[in-house]
Short mmCIF file of all heavy atoms in Angstrom, two decimals:
data_model
loop_
_atom_site.label_atom_id
_atom_site.label_comp_id
_atom_site.label_asym_id
_atom_site.label_seq_id
_atom_site.Cartn_x
_atom_site.Cartn_y
_atom_site.Cartn_z
N LYS A 87 100.60 102.15 88.03
CA LYS A 87 100.28 103.08 89.07
C LYS A 87 101.37 103.13 90.14
O LYS A 87 101.25 103.86 91.15
CB LYS A 87 98.94 102.67 89.76
CG LYS A 87 97.74 102.76 88.80
CD LYS A 87 97.56 104.18 88.26
CE LYS A 87 96.37 104.29 87.32
NZ LYS A 87 96.26 105.64 86.75
N GLY A 88 102.45 102.46 89.90
CA GLY A 88 103.60 102.55 90.77
C GLY A 88 103.69 101.45 91.85
O GLY A 88 104.61 101.41 92.68
N MET A 89 102.73 100.52 91.86
CA MET A 89 102.70 99.49 92.87
C MET A 89 103.69 98.35 92.59
O MET A 89 103.91 98.02 91.41
CB MET A 89 101.32 98.94 93.05
CG MET A 89 100.32 100.03 93.45
SD MET A 89 98.67 99.43 93.82
CE MET A 89 97.82 100.97 94.07
N ASN A 90 104.32 97.83 93.63
CA ASN A 90 105.39 96.86 93.42
C ASN A 90 105.09 95.54 94.15
O ASN A 90 105.99 94.71 94.23
CB ASN A 90 106.74 97.41 93.83
CG ASN A 90 106.84 97.79 95.32
OD1 ASN A 90 105.91 97.51 96.08
ND2 ASN A 90 107.89 98.43 95.69
N ILE A 91 103.88 95.37 94.71
CA ILE A 91 103.59 94.16 95.42
C ILE A 91 102.09 93.87 95.33
O ILE A 91 101.27 94.77 95.28
CB ILE A 91 104.04 94.20 96.87
CG1 ILE A 91 103.99 92.84 97.53
CG2 ILE A 91 103.26 95.26 97.66
CD1 ILE A 91 104.72 92.77 98.91
N VAL A 92 101.76 92.59 95.29
CA VAL A 92 100.36 92.11 95.28
C VAL A 92 100.16 91.12 96.43
O VAL A 92 100.97 90.19 96.59
CB VAL A 92 100.01 91.46 93.94
CG1 VAL A 92 98.70 90.63 94.05
CG2 VAL A 92 99.86 92.50 92.84
N ARG A 93 99.14 91.35 97.18
CA ARG A 93 98.67 90.34 98.18
C ARG A 93 97.67 89.46 97.45
O ARG A 93 96.68 89.98 96.94
CB ARG A 93 98.09 91.00 99.41
CG ARG A 93 97.68 90.03 100.51
CD ARG A 93 97.34 90.83 101.77
NE ARG A 93 96.97 89.99 102.90
CZ ARG A 93 95.69 89.87 103.34
NH1 ARG A 93 94.70 90.49 102.73
NH2 ARG A 93 95.44 89.09 104.36
N LEU A 94 97.94 88.15 97.39
CA LEU A 94 97.18 87.23 96.59
C LEU A 94 96.37 86.27 97.48
O LEU A 94 96.90 85.29 97.96
CB LEU A 94 98.12 86.44 95.69
CG LEU A 94 97.44 85.47 94.73
CD1 LEU A 94 96.69 86.27 93.62
CD2 LEU A 94 98.50 84.54 94.06
N PRO A 95 95.09 86.58 97.72
CA PRO A 95 94.26 85.68 98.53
C PRO A 95 93.90 84.40 97.78
O PRO A 95 93.66 84.45 96.57
CB PRO A 95 93.00 86.49 98.84
CG PRO A 95 93.33 87.92 98.42
CD PRO A 95 94.36 87.79 97.37
N PHE A 96 93.82 83.25 98.48
CA PHE A 96 93.38 82.00 97.92
C PHE A 96 92.83 81.16 99.07
O PHE A 96 92.98 81.54 100.26
CB PHE A 96 94.51 81.28 97.19
CG PHE A 96 95.71 80.94 98.05
CD1 PHE A 96 95.74 79.83 98.85
CD2 PHE A 96 96.79 81.85 98.13
CE1 PHE A 96 96.87 79.52 99.67
CE2 PHE A 96 97.87 81.56 98.95
CZ PHE A 96 97.88 80.43 99.70
N LEU A 97 92.16 80.06 98.78
CA LEU A 97 91.58 79.17 99.77
C LEU A 97 92.52 78.03 100.15
O LEU A 97 92.98 77.30 99.23
CB LEU A 97 90.26 78.61 99.32
CG LEU A 97 89.04 79.58 99.32
CD1 LEU A 97 87.79 78.81 98.90
CD2 LEU A 97 88.85 80.22 100.67
N TRP A 98 92.78 77.86 101.43
CA TRP A 98 93.54 76.73 101.91
C TRP A 98 92.92 75.41 101.48
O TRP A 98 93.62 74.53 100.97
CB TRP A 98 93.64 76.80 103.43
CG TRP A 98 94.32 75.70 104.15
CD1 TRP A 98 94.97 74.63 103.62
CD2 TRP A 98 94.41 75.56 105.59
NE1 TRP A 98 95.49 73.83 104.64
CE2 TRP A 98 95.14 74.37 105.82
CE3 TRP A 98 93.95 76.32 106.66
CZ2 TRP A 98 95.40 73.96 107.14
CZ3 TRP A 98 94.24 75.90 107.95
CH2 TRP A 98 94.96 74.72 108.16
N GLU A 99 91.63 75.26 101.58
CA GLU A 99 90.95 74.00 101.27
C GLU A 99 91.09 73.68 99.82
O GLU A 99 91.08 72.49 99.42
CB GLU A 99 89.45 74.06 101.63
CG GLU A 99 89.20 74.31 103.13
CD GLU A 99 89.00 75.76 103.44
OE1 GLU A 99 89.49 76.64 102.68
OE2 GLU A 99 88.36 76.06 104.50
N ARG A 100 91.13 74.69 98.96
CA ARG A 100 91.24 74.43 97.52
C ARG A 100 92.65 73.99 97.17
O ARG A 100 92.84 73.15 96.27
CB ARG A 100 90.86 75.70 96.75
CG ARG A 100 90.60 75.49 95.26
CD ARG A 100 90.04 76.76 94.64
NE ARG A 100 88.62 76.91 94.88
CZ ARG A 100 88.01 78.07 95.10
NH1 ARG A 100 88.71 79.19 95.16
NH2 ARG A 100 86.71 78.13 95.31
N LEU A 101 93.64 74.58 97.84
CA LEU A 101 95.02 74.20 97.54
C LEU A 101 95.40 72.89 98.19
O LEU A 101 96.20 72.15 97.66
CB LEU A 101 95.95 75.36 98.07
CG LEU A 101 97.44 75.16 97.80
CD1 LEU A 101 97.74 74.94 96.30
CD2 LEU A 101 98.23 76.37 98.34
N GLN A 102 94.81 72.59 99.35
CA GLN A 102 95.07 71.34 100.05
C GLN A 102 93.75 70.70 100.42
O GLN A 102 93.22 70.91 101.52
CB GLN A 102 95.94 71.57 101.33
CG GLN A 102 96.40 70.24 101.94
CD GLN A 102 97.24 70.51 103.24
OE1 GLN A 102 96.90 71.37 104.02
NE2 GLN A 102 98.29 69.71 103.43
N PRO A 103 93.17 69.95 99.49
CA PRO A 103 91.83 69.39 99.74
C PRO A 103 91.70 68.48 100.93
O PRO A 103 90.59 68.34 101.48
CB PRO A 103 91.53 68.63 98.45
CG PRO A 103 92.42 69.27 97.42
CD PRO A 103 93.66 69.67 98.16
N GLU A 104 92.78 67.85 101.33
CA GLU A 104 92.74 66.96 102.53
C GLU A 104 93.92 67.34 103.44
O GLU A 104 95.05 67.40 102.98
CB GLU A 104 92.85 65.49 102.12
CG GLU A 104 91.70 65.01 101.27
CD GLU A 104 90.35 65.03 102.04
OE1 GLU A 104 90.36 64.93 103.27
OE2 GLU A 104 89.33 65.14 101.33
#
Side-chain angles (χ1 to χ4, degrees):
K87 296 300 179 183
M89 299 185 186
N90 62 7
I91 191 167
V92 164
R93 185 170 180 255
L94 184 68
F96 59 86
L97 285 184
W98 176 5
E99 299 94 337
R100 193 173 279 143
L101 182 56
Q102 189 182 39
E104 298 295 334

